[in-house]
Amino acid sequence: MMSLTVLSVCAADYDYPYLTIEKSDGTTYTLPLTSLSFTVSDGGLRISSTEISETLSSADLSKMYFAKPANVTIPAIGWATLYSDCTLDVSDSQLTAYTASFGDESATLSLVNAIPAHTGIILKGTAGDYSLPIATSASAVVGNDLSGTTSGLAAGDNYYALTTYNNAVVFAQVSSGVVIPAGKAFYAGSSLSRPYYIIDGSMTGISNIPLTLGSEDESGKVYSLSGQQVSRPRKGIYIVRGKKVVVK
């Protein structure tokens, strides 16, 4: 059987030092580009590195993409969300990670350590900046209702994002069109979903939360490149909290 080595690269030459591979069963691998090689043969695609050596058939392989390290800022509220291109393992980090499922009346958080790429999670920890540990592989997470975006996304109807209200940490509805920043997770609810879901703390006698709340510590205000505030952004590049965000 003939084979052809098609890629061997060094991470130092790239701003994206990792390659993430998604399998059709939801398992993901994130591998440093150093000494990584692929071999194409009749049997499929063989991946070789210092971490793994595995052959994937066309039926096994879902997608591949380059990835940057996963960095997150925990704001003063002590909670944040994350949606990363990388496979992660937070078991030895200073942060606690959760997936979330949303019901008619409440949200249920489940502890998770091994996190596949493109999995929305909630993080809890002391305020500060963190670089999350990269894991070689992780299996698909079951029962997680969180979605996310790696490039910024204009919220649709019944989208929920992490924020605070009356000293409680909640997932609350955001106005349609508010930009959810890149690297953040959100919940896409239904028309029957409640106005908010309490994550930490309590709110007595509150029946609704204003729909203008932004995500996490975000103001939710969106500006064009010329500095004009935009209420319903379309496809393009905008400024959110001083940073450029691409809305696709």
Side-chain angles (χ1 to χ4, degrees):
M1 179 181 297
M2 296 184 62
S3 63
L4 174 65
T5 299
V6 295
L7 180 63
S8 182
V9 291
C10 177
D13 297 333
Y14 291 85
D15 291 332
Y16 292 78
Y18 298 98
L19 181 78
T20 294
I21 301 163
E22 291 188 15
K23 295 178 63 177
S24 54
D25 64 0
T27 300
T28 68
Y29 301 99
T30 296
L31 306 168
L33 292 177
T34 307
S35 302
L36 177 65
S37 66
F38 298 125
T39 302
V40 180
S41 68
D42 294 341
L45 181 67
R46 184 165 188 80
I47 306 163
S48 300
S49 74
T50 55
E51 287 79 13
I52 67 167
S53 182
E54 182 175 346
T55 299
L56 300 176
S57 68
S58 58
D60 291 331
L61 184 61
S62 175
K63 63 180 69 172
M64 296 189 298
Y65 43 85
F66 295 108
K68 290 184 175 181
N71 300 315
V72 65
T73 297
I74 303 295
I77 63 174
W79 295 82
T81 65
L82 182 70
Y83 189 80
S84 172
D85 282 332
C86 292
T87 308
L88 306 173
D89 189 336
V90 298
S91 56
D92 293 327
S93 77
Q94 297 174 286
L95 300 175
T96 305
Y98 303 90
T99 57
S101 60
F102 295 84
D104 293 337
E105 298 297 329
S106 63
T108 300
L109 303 187
S110 301
L111 283 168
V112 60
N113 286 321
I115 305 159
H118 288 176
T119 299
I121 58 172
I122 303 171
L123 294 168
K124 182 180 182 181
T126 303
D129 297 326
Y130 298 85
S131 182
L132 274 66
I134 305 298
T136 299
S137 65
S139 299
V141 173
V142 178
N144 184 28
D145 290 335
L146 293 172
S147 303
T149 175
T150 58
S151 59
L153 178 71
D157 294 334
N158 302 307
Y159 273 41
Y160 292 71
L162 190 69
T163 189
T164 56
Y165 195 76
N166 278 19
N167 298 318
V169 179
V170 300
F171 261 81
Q173 286 183 334
V174 295
S175 297
S176 178
V178 167
V179 173
I180 297 174
K184 297 299 184 183
F186 60 88
Y187 168 53
S190 69
S191 59
L192 300 179
S193 299
R194 56 183 293 114
Y196 63 87
Y197 294 89
I198 297 175
I199 303 300
D200 188 27
S202 62
M203 295 192 301
T204 303
I206 304 294
S207 60
N208 204 344
I209 293 179
L211 298 182
T212 55
L213 290 174
S215 58
E216 298 173 29
D217 62 334
E218 308 288 340
S219 69
K221 292 183 179 179
V222 181
Y223 297 90
S224 67
L225 294 179
S226 62
Q228 294 180 322
Q229 187 171 343
V230 179
S231 59
R232 290 183 175 272
R234 301 178 182 272
K235 292 181 180 180
I237 301 175
Y238 298 90
I239 304 297
V240 180
R241 298 189 76 234
K243 297 181 179 180
K244 289 183 179 180
V245 172
V246 178
V247 177
K248 296 184 176 181

